[in-house]
Amino acid sequence: MLHGEEFRLVRFLFQRGLALLYLLAFLVAAFQFRPLAGEDGLLPLERYVEGVSFRDRPSLFYFYPSDRVIGLAAWAGVALSALALVAAPYWPVVPDAAATPTSMALWAAMWALYLSFVNAGQLFYGYGWESMLLETGFLAIFLGAGPAAPPVVVLVLLQWVLFRNMFGAGLIKLRGDECWRDLSCMDYHYETQPIPNPVSWFAHHLPERFHRVETFGNHVVELLVPFLYFAPQPWSSAAGAATIGFMGWLMLTGNFAWLNALTIVLAVATFSDGVLEAALPLPIAAPETVATPTYLQVLAILLAVFVLALSVRPARNMLSPNQTMNTAFDPLHLVNTYGAFGSITRDRYEIVIEGTTDEEVTEDTEWREYRFKGKPTDPERRPPQIAPYHLRLDWQLWFAAMAPTPRRSPWFLRLLEKLLEGDDAVRGLLAEDPFAEAGETPAYVRAIRYRYRYTTPEERAETGRWWHRERVGTYVSPVSTAELRVRGRLAR
């Protein structure tokens, strides 16, 4: 039988990793939430307030829909996350008996604050790793702190989150794109993923046989290995190590926000202190522990019953032939279903936004490109390393480019309007506004749709370019501020 005393070092590493990811998530909210979903954002906060009920999507911003409150909440989250990173789980200035209640209050506050951002963030917060961070963060409330041993049942619940994340991703692939079944998906993935990183180009050009092997390995790690999470040691640790290695490769070859990092943090729950002490190169030893407090044991058991009840719908969905990816089944995101890349795009499309100061658009008009932090706008620019930071606008531009028009992305026209106005908050989301340095604003903007592909090694050696692109259409014809406002009134 397992005892909590065997997992205090596990809790130490898990809480440190989770606190770091919370810190990152709140920093993203501090710098990006207001221009994306604030009072005057691309999807204004009033759309959330007027469009849903508090019961369906509870958030602090439902009652206080203000940029000031958004800023206070984001920086409060940063401060709490930093405190958790530095202090938890020891709380040296807190009496041992108060360590667990203090820790629970801290983790609960971070969870509630981040829930407010996710539920009010609309499209820009509609990613599976948001729900997974909330679900993981909620369970972290009940891990305890100080010398008290963590409840083993909570560690099992963390393994259950990890299992649904990995196994759900494996099932959605088998049921989805045919290329997962014929082992050819990785021929396209590195080139067409949302935001490639510096290694993606090299991974794309690995031999075809390697891509077949890694696709098969993906199925093994996602469909077979997860069942070992619940096995006795050392099998559970071996499964966790395989998962960490798999996620490490994904982090090395792509930018997937904190999806991979959070999965690695969850995988820590598959280890024991004994395995970690033997595996870690540093002389880290598990500290002295005392038994888990009775009240925390009771809360953990009640939590397990609660999670078990909420797991029915996600489990049914995961096993259903009509499985959906990344869905929250309750407004608090307590137990969710996960999955990623059920289908793989074969061609990469990008939207390139351009502006001009010319008062009249002619064939001789000189257009200047806007550049985004993560998008491959400039074919000569090396793909950047962004993750685990999350560039929310860049991700949504990847989705928007899949369609030939912005009809399904109404926020895009508002983005163009903000660029025409020279909005400083939106400019902060860009890598380069070609008009900012001269203090100008464009008279017209337009959006061109391109098909991008990686250059071959020969092409790159000759030109220095990472990408080759060809124009495939006009996403938005040249428009001025007045024309966009007319479109907006007609749309309403």
Side-chain angles (χ1 to χ4, degrees):
M1 179 162 177
L2 297 177
H3 300 280
E5 291 83 354
E6 301 174 37
F7 299 98
R8 195 171 167 205
L9 181 56
V10 169
R11 179 180 65 188
F12 174 86
L13 293 177
F14 172 82
Q15 288 184 328
R16 285 294 200 278
L18 185 60
L20 183 61
L21 293 180
Y22 257 135
L23 176 62
L24 191 67
F26 281 116
L27 284 171
V28 171
F31 293 119
Q32 297 183 37
F33 192 91
R34 280 170 284 189
L36 293 175
E39 286 184 79
D40 193 34
L42 301 185
L43 291 175
L45 193 57
E46 66 179 4
R47 293 179 77 254
Y48 154 72
V49 174
E50 296 174 358
V52 301
S53 68
F54 176 80
R55 181 176 179 178
D56 290 336
R57 297 191 71 83
S59 170
L60 171 69
F61 311 133
Y62 190 88
F63 300 106
Y64 302 100
S66 141
D67 280 353
R68 182 185 294 273
V69 174
I70 290 169
L72 289 172
W75 289 110
V78 169
L80 292 173
S81 304
L83 178 61
L85 181 62
V86 172
Y90 291 134
W91 296 101
V93 298
V94 176
D96 288 349
T100 289
T102 302
S103 174
M104 293 179 73
L106 175 65
W107 290 101
M110 288 190 290
W111 173 82
L113 281 175
Y114 199 65
L115 177 70
S116 289
F117 286 103
V118 172
N119 278 345
Q122 305 171 77
L123 180 71
F124 292 107
Y125 272 73
Y127 302 98
W129 49 82
E130 311 294 359
S131 293
M132 190 157 65
L133 181 57
L134 285 171
E135 182 173 356
T136 305
F138 183 76
L139 295 177
I141 297 171
F142 303 91
L143 276 175
V152 174
V153 68
V154 178
L155 296 172
V156 175
L157 293 177
L158 291 171
Q159 293 169 0
W160 174 229
V161 180
L162 179 64
F163 178 89
R164 279 181 282 120
N165 174 32
M166 297 296 290
F167 193 60
L171 288 177
I172 202 72
K173 290 180 176 67
L174 281 186
R175 294 171 174 143
D177 203 313
E178 183 181 350
C179 69
W180 288 114
R181 295 186 292 277
D182 66 21
L183 305 183
S184 64
C185 271
M186 301 309 288
D187 294 350
Y188 313 100
H189 165 76
Y190 296 113
E191 183 176 67
T192 62
Q193 62 182 299
I195 303 180
N197 77 351
V199 182
S200 303
W201 185 93
F202 298 96
H204 176 73
H205 290 296
L206 289 170
E208 183 178 295
R209 180 175 296 179
F210 178 86
H211 292 317
R212 299 294 179 271
V213 172
E214 67 173 334
T215 307
F216 179 77
N218 180 99
H219 295 321
V220 172
V221 176
E222 291 187 336
L223 292 169
L224 299 180
V225 168
F227 288 95
L228 295 178
Y229 297 153
F230 309 104
Q233 297 294 348
W235 298 106
S236 179
S237 294
T243 301
I244 290 172
F246 177 64
M247 289 296 150
W249 173 253
L250 295 180
M251 292 179 72
L252 182 67
T253 58
N255 286 298
F256 301 103
W258 52 78
L259 171 63
N260 312 126
L262 180 54
T263 304
I264 288 173
V265 170
L266 280 166
V268 171
T270 65
F271 291 83
S272 68
D273 284 1
V275 171
L276 289 176
E277 288 173 346
L280 290 174
L282 298 176
I284 299 176
E288 294 295 325
T289 60
V290 298
T292 308
T294 302
Y295 72 87
L296 188 59
Q297 289 278 31
V298 172
L299 287 174
I301 293 171
L302 293 175
L303 174 66
V305 173
F306 182 60
V307 168
L308 183 63
L310 290 181
S311 295
V312 173
R313 291 182 65 191
R316 283 179 177 172
N317 172 75
M318 187 167 58
L319 299 176
S320 168
N322 299 316
Q323 177 190 6
T324 59
M325 296 188 300
N326 300 324
T327 301
F329 289 91
D330 62 85
L332 301 180
H333 301 261
L334 297 180
V335 183
N336 315 289
T337 190
Y338 304 107
F341 291 99
S343 61
I344 296 291
T345 54
R346 304 311 197 262
D347 295 303
R348 179 181 198 91
Y349 293 99
E350 291 287 347
I351 301 166
V352 176
I353 302 174
E354 302 172 328
T356 181
T357 54
D358 292 358
E359 294 299 326
E360 182 179 349
V361 175
T362 68
E363 292 183 358
D364 297 324
T365 294
E366 179 184 349
W367 294 94
R368 289 182 268 175
E369 291 183 350
Y370 291 86
R371 296 185 181 179
F372 294 86
K373 296 178 180 179
K375 307 299 289 177
T377 305
D378 180 0
E380 295 185 6
R381 182 196 182 198
R382 183 183 66 184
Q385 179 60 50
I386 303 298
Y389 195 77
H390 187 10
L391 295 176
R392 299 183 181 277
L393 178 58
D394 294 51
W395 267 80
Q396 285 307 136
L397 285 167
W398 179 76
F399 287 108
M402 293 180 182
T405 72
R407 185 174 59 86
R408 292 184 294 177
S409 304
W411 56 268
F412 186 82
L413 296 181
R414 188 165 172 82
L415 170 62
L416 296 183
E417 186 177 350
K418 293 286 187 182
L419 295 178
L420 283 163
E421 295 170 355
D423 184 90
D424 287 336
V426 169
R427 277 177 167 171
L429 301 175
L430 310 178
E432 181 184 346
D433 181 329
F435 305 96
E437 187 173 344
E440 301 175 318
T441 55
Y444 289 88
V445 292
R446 68 179 186 180
I448 308 301
R449 189 167 179 254
Y450 287 89
R451 181 185 292 113
Y452 277 66
R453 66 163 175 83
Y454 279 135
T455 54
T456 65
E458 294 76 20
E459 288 172 329
R460 183 161 171 258
E462 181 180 348
T463 67
R465 294 186 173 187
W466 296 81
W467 299 95
H468 172 83
R469 72 181 188 183
E470 59 176 321
R471 180 171 174 170
V472 295
T474 299
Y475 195 71
V476 175
S477 299
V479 288
S480 64
T481 300
E483 291 168 340
L484 280 174
R485 288 174 180 169
V486 169
R487 285 194 189 187
R489 286 195 295 269
L490 291 175
R492 288 193 291 270

